[in-house]
Amino acid sequence: MKKHLYIVSIGIVLITIGSILYLLYNQNKEPEYGNHPAETIGTFVHIKGKKSRDKYYVLVDSENEKQIMKMYLDDVKIQGTKKEDIPLSDIHTGDTIKVNFLGDIVLSSPAIITKIQTVTLLEQNSDADIDSLMKLVPDS
């Protein structure tokens, strides 16, 4: 019986030492949360579905053209490069935008960005190949 008590006692001591070392190692690190402010920059694509309510927007990552993120921009503040408010109608497919959001992304196909705080128009690009951008979006 005493043998089992020694083993349990040594286990508790090792767990305690490990916990203390973990806390000491991580005490100066910033905590990571699932919904911290984030931003992404990419190409804007305007999609109109078959039904009137099926209107959404897609951000195509500029570094990896196959990574797309769907967004709904109702009631989202849209800004120009000088921080002036602009209407959503001033942003067109092919324009480069920056999306600031709270880090929430719904994993679906395509992924959906939620809790968008602002969208900033960085560059208007009227020379964009709209057909090739539309082909990247599933079910468009």
Side-chain angles (χ1 to χ4, degrees):
M1 184 72 175
K2 288 184 179 183
K3 183 178 177 182
H4 294 292
L5 287 175
Y6 288 125
I7 293 173
V8 170
S9 298
I10 290 173
I12 291 173
V13 169
L14 290 175
I15 289 172
T16 304
I17 291 172
S19 299
I20 291 171
L21 290 175
Y22 177 80
L23 291 173
L24 289 174
Y25 177 76
N26 289 316
Q27 81 183 44
N28 292 328
K29 285 188 176 182
E30 290 290 321
E32 294 183 23
Y33 298 103
N35 60 350
H36 57 282
E39 70 178 33
T40 186
I41 296 174
T43 305
F44 178 82
V45 180
H46 182 177
I47 305 293
K48 290 182 182 176
K50 294 177 177 128
K51 300 176 187 171
S52 62
R53 70 176 186 266
D54 291 343
K55 181 171 59 172
Y56 60 91
Y57 308 90
V58 173
L59 179 75
V60 179
D61 189 329
S62 8
E63 294 176 14
N64 176 7
E65 291 185 354
K66 294 185 177 165
Q67 179 181 357
I68 59 173
M69 295 184 208
K70 188 177 187 178
M71 350 173 237
Y72 296 96
L73 297 178
D74 298 333
D75 304 323
V76 173
K77 183 177 180 180
I78 313 235
Q79 301 175 336
T81 54
K82 297 176 184 169
K83 301 292 184 199
E84 75 279 10
D85 288 349
I86 61 172
L88 179 59
S89 60
D90 284 359
I91 302 177
H92 305 285
T93 296
D95 291 348
T96 302
I97 61 169
K98 175 172 69 173
V99 179
N100 292 306
F101 58 101
L102 288 178
D104 290 344
I105 298 176
V106 177
L107 296 176
S108 61
S109 182
I112 300 173
I113 299 175
T114 63
K115 297 185 182 176
I116 297 172
Q117 296 175 313
T118 60
V119 172
T120 305
L121 174 62
L122 297 178
E123 180 183 349
Q124 290 186 318
N125 184 4
S126 59
D127 298 334
D129 185 0
I130 295 173
D131 291 333
S132 66
L133 286 171
M134 296 297 271
K135 287 179 185 176
L136 293 173
V137 181
D139 300 327
S140 64

